[in-house]
Amino acid sequence: MSIAYFWSRSLLGNRGFLWLLLWCNLLGTVYGYYWYAEQMEYTVANNPFWQVIFVPDSPTASLFFTIAIYMLLYPPKTKFGFGFRLLIEALAVVTSVKYGIWAVSIIFAGYAQGSPLVWQDWMLVISHSAMAIEALLYVRLFKLGETMLIPAAAWTFLNDTVDYTYGVFPWLPVQLMDDIASVQYFTFGLTLFSALLAWLVIRQARR
């Protein structure tokens, strides 16, 4: 199989490949929520209940992408369903790119300050890199336009604001706990970068 075929619409839009991708992302989503289970339990016990929705960032991004792939397989037939599809696709692209890059960056930032890299870290590096890459690849098959990036970016900025206002951001390597301000600035900046990158890729894909 050539590299050109791998990047082509023929493979990306193949129903068998879409089902494989859906199941990989669904299983990754389930595992991601399990990964965050302890922090979610801690948040429910120590914070207002509504804040727990903002804790599992990456699994929620993966969930958006899983739903977006499902709607490629079974496109909605109503006007409301089509609008919902556009929003989910925008959320999938912005959040998958953002949290894919964020997780890999934080892992290596922790390593640079002395946090050991274990096999789970490499698993996270691979899976989160794949999140960002697949989101950018599937822009060509998604229906979203540039305007849907506005609510997607707004949601992601809201998530950032809740994370760092109420301290429900993903637990960091202990070596980075004295760099919270820098992590916060990086996180907000990465949301803007991800939305702009999605906008550029969408414009390029529509040419």
mmCIF file of all heavy atoms in Angstrom, residues 67-102:
data_model
loop_
_atom_site.group_PDB
_atom_site.id
_atom_site.type_symbol
_atom_site.label_atom_id
_atom_site.label_comp_id
_atom_site.label_asym_id
_atom_site.label_seq_id
_atom_site.Cartn_x
_atom_site.Cartn_y
_atom_site.Cartn_z
ATOM 1 N N ILE A 67 -17.849 10.224 17.566
ATOM 2 C CA ILE A 67 -19.197 10.562 17.087
ATOM 3 C C ILE A 67 -19.133 11.110 15.669
ATOM 4 O O ILE A 67 -19.985 10.800 14.822
ATOM 5 C CB ILE A 67 -19.864 11.570 18.035
ATOM 6 C CG1 ILE A 67 -20.040 10.960 19.423
ATOM 7 C CG2 ILE A 67 -21.219 12.014 17.481
ATOM 8 C CD1 ILE A 67 -20.511 11.948 20.481
ATOM 9 N N ALA A 68 -18.099 11.923 15.381
ATOM 10 C CA ALA A 68 -17.947 12.480 14.033
ATOM 11 C C ALA A 68 -17.741 11.372 13.003
ATOM 12 O O ALA A 68 -18.302 11.423 11.900
ATOM 13 C CB ALA A 68 -16.774 13.459 14.003
ATOM 14 N N ILE A 69 -16.959 10.359 13.352
ATOM 15 C CA ILE A 69 -16.755 9.231 12.439
ATOM 16 C C ILE A 69 -18.052 8.460 12.251
ATOM 17 O O ILE A 69 -18.395 8.032 11.133
ATOM 18 C CB ILE A 69 -15.645 8.297 12.967
ATOM 19 C CG1 ILE A 69 -14.295 9.013 12.929
ATOM 20 C CG2 ILE A 69 -15.578 7.012 12.148
ATOM 21 C CD1 ILE A 69 -13.838 9.430 11.542
ATOM 22 N N TYR A 70 -18.812 8.279 13.336
ATOM 23 C CA TYR A 70 -20.108 7.588 13.228
ATOM 24 C C TYR A 70 -21.023 8.328 12.259
ATOM 25 O O TYR A 70 -21.743 7.708 11.458
ATOM 26 C CB TYR A 70 -20.758 7.478 14.608
ATOM 27 C CG TYR A 70 -22.094 6.765 14.572
ATOM 28 C CD1 TYR A 70 -22.160 5.379 14.578
ATOM 29 C CD2 TYR A 70 -23.284 7.491 14.505
ATOM 30 C CE1 TYR A 70 -23.386 4.717 14.528
ATOM 31 C CE2 TYR A 70 -24.499 6.844 14.454
ATOM 32 C CZ TYR A 70 -24.550 5.456 14.466
ATOM 33 O OH TYR A 70 -25.761 4.809 14.404
ATOM 34 N N MET A 71 -20.978 9.649 12.298
ATOM 35 C CA MET A 71 -21.862 10.422 11.422
ATOM 36 C C MET A 71 -21.336 10.500 9.988
ATOM 37 O O MET A 71 -22.074 10.891 9.086
ATOM 38 C CB MET A 71 -22.102 11.813 12.011
ATOM 39 C CG MET A 71 -23.005 11.756 13.240
ATOM 40 S SD MET A 71 -23.589 13.373 13.845
ATOM 41 C CE MET A 71 -22.059 14.031 14.492
ATOM 42 N N LEU A 72 -20.084 10.122 9.780
ATOM 43 C CA LEU A 72 -19.622 9.894 8.410
ATOM 44 C C LEU A 72 -20.226 8.595 7.875
ATOM 45 O O LEU A 72 -20.585 8.504 6.702
ATOM 46 C CB LEU A 72 -18.095 9.819 8.362
ATOM 47 C CG LEU A 72 -17.304 11.120 8.320
ATOM 48 C CD1 LEU A 72 -15.804 10.814 8.321
ATOM 49 C CD2 LEU A 72 -17.671 11.965 7.111
ATOM 50 N N LEU A 73 -20.309 7.614 8.750
ATOM 51 C CA LEU A 73 -20.889 6.333 8.355
ATOM 52 C C LEU A 73 -22.402 6.437 8.163
ATOM 53 O O LEU A 73 -22.961 5.838 7.236
ATOM 54 C CB LEU A 73 -20.572 5.276 9.420
ATOM 55 C CG LEU A 73 -19.125 4.788 9.464
ATOM 56 C CD1 LEU A 73 -18.821 4.116 10.802
ATOM 57 C CD2 LEU A 73 -18.849 3.824 8.318
ATOM 58 N N TYR A 74 -23.055 7.186 9.031
ATOM 59 C CA TYR A 74 -24.512 7.329 8.992
ATOM 60 C C TYR A 74 -24.869 8.815 9.074
ATOM 61 O O TYR A 74 -25.204 9.321 10.150
ATOM 62 C CB TYR A 74 -25.159 6.550 10.141
ATOM 63 C CG TYR A 74 -24.880 5.073 10.079
ATOM 64 C CD1 TYR A 74 -23.917 4.498 10.905
ATOM 65 C CD2 TYR A 74 -25.559 4.254 9.177
ATOM 66 C CE1 TYR A 74 -23.644 3.142 10.845
ATOM 67 C CE2 TYR A 74 -25.290 2.899 9.114
ATOM 68 C CZ TYR A 74 -24.327 2.345 9.939
ATOM 69 O OH TYR A 74 -24.054 0.999 9.873
ATOM 70 N N PRO A 75 -24.795 9.521 7.964
ATOM 71 C CA PRO A 75 -25.067 10.972 7.972
ATOM 72 C C PRO A 75 -26.477 11.281 8.452
ATOM 73 O O PRO A 75 -27.439 10.610 8.053
ATOM 74 C CB PRO A 75 -24.887 11.372 6.497
ATOM 75 C CG PRO A 75 -24.034 10.287 5.903
ATOM 76 C CD PRO A 75 -24.413 9.037 6.629
ATOM 77 N N PRO A 76 -26.631 12.279 9.312
ATOM 78 C CA PRO A 76 -27.968 12.681 9.760
ATOM 79 C C PRO A 76 -28.812 13.177 8.584
ATOM 80 O O PRO A 76 -28.285 13.766 7.642
ATOM 81 C CB PRO A 76 -27.677 13.823 10.749
ATOM 82 C CG PRO A 76 -26.250 13.674 11.120
ATOM 83 C CD PRO A 76 -25.565 13.061 9.950
ATOM 84 N N LYS A 77 -30.112 12.962 8.672
ATOM 85 C CA LYS A 77 -30.996 13.317 7.563
ATOM 86 C C LYS A 77 -31.863 14.541 7.858
ATOM 87 O O LYS A 77 -32.555 15.040 6.985
ATOM 88 C CB LYS A 77 -31.882 12.132 7.203
ATOM 89 C CG LYS A 77 -31.081 10.902 6.782
ATOM 90 C CD LYS A 77 -31.983 9.787 6.321
ATOM 91 C CE LYS A 77 -31.177 8.523 5.983
ATOM 92 N NZ LYS A 77 -30.184 8.759 4.938
ATOM 93 N N THR A 78 -31.842 15.027 9.095
ATOM 94 C CA THR A 78 -32.632 16.205 9.446
ATOM 95 C C THR A 78 -31.739 17.438 9.497
ATOM 96 O O THR A 78 -30.515 17.337 9.615
ATOM 97 C CB THR A 78 -33.311 16.023 10.806
ATOM 98 O OG1 THR A 78 -32.308 15.966 11.833
ATOM 99 C CG2 THR A 78 -34.140 14.739 10.830
ATOM 100 N N LYS A 79 -32.377 18.605 9.442
ATOM 101 C CA LYS A 79 -31.634 19.860 9.515
ATOM 102 C C LYS A 79 -30.930 19.989 10.862
ATOM 103 O O LYS A 79 -29.766 20.399 10.934
ATOM 104 C CB LYS A 79 -32.578 21.039 9.291
ATOM 105 C CG LYS A 79 -31.883 22.379 9.227
ATOM 106 C CD LYS A 79 -32.861 23.489 8.887
ATOM 107 C CE LYS A 79 -32.145 24.841 8.797
ATOM 108 N NZ LYS A 79 -33.094 25.936 8.455
ATOM 109 N N PHE A 80 -31.637 19.624 11.940
ATOM 110 C CA PHE A 80 -31.024 19.667 13.265
ATOM 111 C C PHE A 80 -29.839 18.714 13.350
ATOM 112 O O PHE A 80 -28.782 19.048 13.876
ATOM 113 C CB PHE A 80 -32.046 19.308 14.347
ATOM 114 C CG PHE A 80 -31.450 19.184 15.719
ATOM 115 C CD1 PHE A 80 -31.218 20.308 16.489
ATOM 116 C CD2 PHE A 80 -31.109 17.927 16.221
ATOM 117 C CE1 PHE A 80 -30.643 20.193 17.755
ATOM 118 C CE2 PHE A 80 -30.531 17.811 17.484
ATOM 119 C CZ PHE A 80 -30.307 18.943 18.250
ATOM 120 N N GLY A 81 -30.041 17.498 12.817
ATOM 121 C CA GLY A 81 -28.969 16.507 12.844
ATOM 122 C C GLY A 81 -27.747 16.971 12.071
ATOM 123 O O GLY A 81 -26.608 16.745 12.494
ATOM 124 N N PHE A 82 -27.974 17.636 10.931
ATOM 125 C CA PHE A 82 -26.853 18.130 10.138
ATOM 126 C C PHE A 82 -26.099 19.225 10.893
ATOM 127 O O PHE A 82 -24.866 19.256 10.901
ATOM 128 C CB PHE A 82 -27.346 18.664 8.795
ATOM 129 C CG PHE A 82 -26.236 19.108 7.876
ATOM 130 C CD1 PHE A 82 -25.395 18.184 7.272
ATOM 131 C CD2 PHE A 82 -26.039 20.459 7.623
ATOM 132 C CE1 PHE A 82 -24.366 18.591 6.435
ATOM 133 C CE2 PHE A 82 -25.012 20.881 6.792
ATOM 134 C CZ PHE A 82 -24.178 19.944 6.190
ATOM 135 N N GLY A 83 -26.852 20.122 11.554
ATOM 136 C CA GLY A 83 -26.200 21.161 12.347
ATOM 137 C C GLY A 83 -25.403 20.573 13.501
ATOM 138 O O GLY A 83 -24.291 21.029 13.807
ATOM 139 N N PHE A 84 -25.975 19.547 14.140
ATOM 140 C CA PHE A 84 -25.268 18.863 15.226
ATOM 141 C C PHE A 84 -23.990 18.219 14.710
ATOM 142 O O PHE A 84 -22.945 18.279 15.366
ATOM 143 C CB PHE A 84 -26.186 17.801 15.838
ATOM 144 C CG PHE A 84 -25.556 17.005 16.939
ATOM 145 C CD1 PHE A 84 -25.308 17.574 18.176
ATOM 146 C CD2 PHE A 84 -25.207 15.666 16.737
ATOM 147 C CE1 PHE A 84 -24.726 16.835 19.197
ATOM 148 C CE2 PHE A 84 -24.622 14.922 17.748
ATOM 149 C CZ PHE A 84 -24.385 15.508 18.988
ATOM 150 N N ARG A 85 -24.063 17.639 13.520
ATOM 151 C CA ARG A 85 -22.889 17.020 12.922
ATOM 152 C C ARG A 85 -21.782 18.052 12.711
ATOM 153 O O ARG A 85 -20.607 17.790 13.031
ATOM 154 C CB ARG A 85 -23.258 16.381 11.582
ATOM 155 C CG ARG A 85 -22.057 15.870 10.799
ATOM 156 C CD ARG A 85 -22.435 15.349 9.426
ATOM 157 N NE ARG A 85 -21.256 14.941 8.690
ATOM 158 C CZ ARG A 85 -21.286 14.396 7.478
ATOM 159 N NH1 ARG A 85 -22.445 14.205 6.871
ATOM 160 N NH2 ARG A 85 -20.163 14.045 6.879
ATOM 161 N N LEU A 86 -22.133 19.220 12.182
ATOM 162 C CA LEU A 86 -21.131 20.256 11.939
ATOM 163 C C LEU A 86 -20.447 20.687 13.233
ATOM 164 O O LEU A 86 -19.219 20.882 13.276
ATOM 165 C CB LEU A 86 -21.773 21.470 11.263
ATOM 166 C CG LEU A 86 -22.413 21.259 9.896
ATOM 167 C CD1 LEU A 86 -22.934 22.582 9.347
ATOM 168 C CD2 LEU A 86 -21.418 20.633 8.910
ATOM 169 N N LEU A 87 -21.239 20.828 14.304
ATOM 170 C CA LEU A 87 -20.672 21.235 15.587
ATOM 171 C C LEU A 87 -19.749 20.165 16.142
ATOM 172 O O LEU A 87 -18.642 20.470 16.626
ATOM 173 C CB LEU A 87 -21.802 21.528 16.578
ATOM 174 C CG LEU A 87 -21.350 21.926 17.990
ATOM 175 C CD1 LEU A 87 -20.502 23.185 17.949
ATOM 176 C CD2 LEU A 87 -22.564 22.118 18.900
ATOM 177 N N ILE A 88 -20.179 18.915 16.090
ATOM 178 C CA ILE A 88 -19.356 17.818 16.597
ATOM 179 C C ILE A 88 -18.047 17.718 15.809
ATOM 180 O O ILE A 88 -16.967 17.505 16.389
ATOM 181 C CB ILE A 88 -20.122 16.480 16.538
ATOM 182 C CG1 ILE A 88 -21.228 16.461 17.595
ATOM 183 C CG2 ILE A 88 -19.179 15.291 16.734
ATOM 184 C CD1 ILE A 88 -20.728 16.462 19.028
ATOM 185 N N GLU A 89 -18.122 17.883 14.495
ATOM 186 C CA GLU A 89 -16.906 17.825 13.681
ATOM 187 C C GLU A 89 -15.946 18.942 14.070
ATOM 188 O O GLU A 89 -14.729 18.713 14.168
ATOM 189 C CB GLU A 89 -17.270 17.914 12.197
ATOM 190 C CG GLU A 89 -17.942 16.659 11.663
ATOM 191 C CD GLU A 89 -18.367 16.789 10.219
ATOM 192 O OE1 GLU A 89 -18.372 17.916 9.681
ATOM 193 O OE2 GLU A 89 -18.695 15.759 9.603
ATOM 194 N N ALA A 90 -16.472 20.145 14.295
ATOM 195 C CA ALA A 90 -15.612 21.255 14.694
ATOM 196 C C ALA A 90 -14.979 20.995 16.059
ATOM 197 O O ALA A 90 -13.774 21.221 16.260
ATOM 198 C CB ALA A 90 -16.418 22.553 14.722
ATOM 199 N N LEU A 91 -15.784 20.503 17.003
ATOM 200 C CA LEU A 91 -15.249 20.159 18.324
ATOM 201 C C LEU A 91 -14.207 19.058 18.223
ATOM 202 O O LEU A 91 -13.176 19.093 18.904
ATOM 203 C CB LEU A 91 -16.386 19.724 19.245
ATOM 204 C CG LEU A 91 -17.309 20.831 19.751
ATOM 205 C CD1 LEU A 91 -18.580 20.244 20.348
ATOM 206 C CD2 LEU A 91 -16.593 21.694 20.787
ATOM 207 N N ALA A 92 -14.466 18.071 17.368
ATOM 208 C CA ALA A 92 -13.530 16.958 17.198
ATOM 209 C C ALA A 92 -12.186 17.450 16.692
ATOM 210 O O ALA A 92 -11.129 17.033 17.195
ATOM 211 C CB ALA A 92 -14.121 15.924 16.236
ATOM 212 N N VAL A 93 -12.214 18.334 15.703
ATOM 213 C CA VAL A 93 -10.957 18.807 15.107
ATOM 214 C C VAL A 93 -10.183 19.678 16.094
ATOM 215 O O VAL A 93 -9.000 19.436 16.370
ATOM 216 C CB VAL A 93 -11.235 19.569 13.796
ATOM 217 C CG1 VAL A 93 -9.939 20.206 13.273
ATOM 218 C CG2 VAL A 93 -11.815 18.631 12.747
ATOM 219 N N VAL A 94 -10.840 20.696 16.641
ATOM 220 C CA VAL A 94 -10.132 21.635 17.525
ATOM 221 C C VAL A 94 -9.606 20.940 18.774
ATOM 222 O O VAL A 94 -8.435 21.091 19.142
ATOM 223 C CB VAL A 94 -11.046 22.816 17.911
ATOM 224 C CG1 VAL A 94 -10.367 23.704 18.964
ATOM 225 C CG2 VAL A 94 -11.387 23.647 16.676
ATOM 226 N N THR A 95 -10.462 20.150 19.445
ATOM 227 C CA THR A 95 -10.030 19.539 20.704
ATOM 228 C C THR A 95 -9.035 18.398 20.494
ATOM 229 O O THR A 95 -8.128 18.216 21.300
ATOM 230 C CB THR A 95 -11.236 19.031 21.519
ATOM 231 O OG1 THR A 95 -11.951 18.032 20.767
ATOM 232 C CG2 THR A 95 -12.172 20.168 21.874
ATOM 233 N N SER A 96 -9.176 17.642 19.407
ATOM 234 C CA SER A 96 -8.230 16.544 19.164
ATOM 235 C C SER A 96 -6.836 17.078 18.863
ATOM 236 O O SER A 96 -5.830 16.541 19.345
ATOM 237 C CB SER A 96 -8.720 15.661 18.015
ATOM 238 O OG SER A 96 -9.898 14.973 18.365
ATOM 239 N N VAL A 97 -6.770 18.132 18.067
ATOM 240 C CA VAL A 97 -5.472 18.748 17.777
ATOM 241 C C VAL A 97 -4.888 19.348 19.056
ATOM 242 O O VAL A 97 -3.720 19.123 19.399
ATOM 243 C CB VAL A 97 -5.608 19.832 16.686
ATOM 244 C CG1 VAL A 97 -4.302 20.618 16.534
ATOM 245 C CG2 VAL A 97 -5.995 19.191 15.352
ATOM 246 N N LYS A 98 -5.732 20.089 19.786
ATOM 247 C CA LYS A 98 -5.253 20.774 20.988
ATOM 248 C C LYS A 98 -4.735 19.791 22.037
ATOM 249 O O LYS A 98 -3.595 19.891 22.511
ATOM 250 C CB LYS A 98 -6.379 21.632 21.564
ATOM 251 C CG LYS A 98 -5.935 22.514 22.741
ATOM 252 C CD LYS A 98 -6.293 21.878 24.068
ATOM 253 C CE LYS A 98 -5.879 22.760 25.224
ATOM 254 N NZ LYS A 98 -6.749 23.927 25.391
ATOM 255 N N TYR A 99 -5.573 18.813 22.417
ATOM 256 C CA TYR A 99 -5.176 17.916 23.499
ATOM 257 C C TYR A 99 -4.171 16.866 23.042
ATOM 258 O O TYR A 99 -3.401 16.346 23.860
ATOM 259 C CB TYR A 99 -6.412 17.269 24.127
ATOM 260 C CG TYR A 99 -7.267 18.287 24.833
ATOM 261 C CD1 TYR A 99 -8.575 18.541 24.410
ATOM 262 C CD2 TYR A 99 -6.769 19.028 25.892
ATOM 263 C CE1 TYR A 99 -9.356 19.497 25.039
ATOM 264 C CE2 TYR A 99 -7.538 19.990 26.524
ATOM 265 C CZ TYR A 99 -8.824 20.225 26.091
ATOM 266 O OH TYR A 99 -9.585 21.183 26.715
ATOM 267 N N GLY A 100 -4.162 16.569 21.743
ATOM 268 C CA GLY A 100 -3.124 15.685 21.233
ATOM 269 C C GLY A 100 -1.750 16.298 21.415
ATOM 270 O O GLY A 100 -0.825 15.675 21.949
ATOM 271 N N ILE A 101 -1.614 17.563 20.998
ATOM 272 C CA ILE A 101 -0.339 18.263 21.136
ATOM 273 C C ILE A 101 -0.035 18.538 22.606
ATOM 274 O O ILE A 101 1.109 18.386 23.058
ATOM 275 C CB ILE A 101 -0.365 19.580 20.334
ATOM 276 C CG1 ILE A 101 -0.511 19.287 18.836
ATOM 277 C CG2 ILE A 101 0.903 20.398 20.594
ATOM 278 C CD1 ILE A 101 -0.706 20.527 17.987
ATOM 279 N N TRP A 102 -1.058 18.929 23.368
ATOM 280 C CA TRP A 102 -0.853 19.287 24.774
ATOM 281 C C TRP A 102 -0.275 18.113 25.573
ATOM 282 O O TRP A 102 0.701 18.276 26.311
ATOM 283 C CB TRP A 102 -2.186 19.723 25.388
ATOM 284 C CG TRP A 102 -2.078 20.263 26.791
ATOM 285 C CD1 TRP A 102 -1.889 21.569 27.151
ATOM 286 C CD2 TRP A 102 -2.146 19.514 28.014
ATOM 287 N NE1 TRP A 102 -1.841 21.682 28.518
ATOM 288 C CE2 TRP A 102 -1.994 20.440 29.071
ATOM 289 C CE3 TRP A 102 -2.320 18.171 28.311
ATOM 290 C CZ2 TRP A 102 -2.019 20.038 30.410
ATOM 291 C CZ3 TRP A 102 -2.338 17.769 29.638
ATOM 292 C CH2 TRP A 102 -2.186 18.698 30.669
#
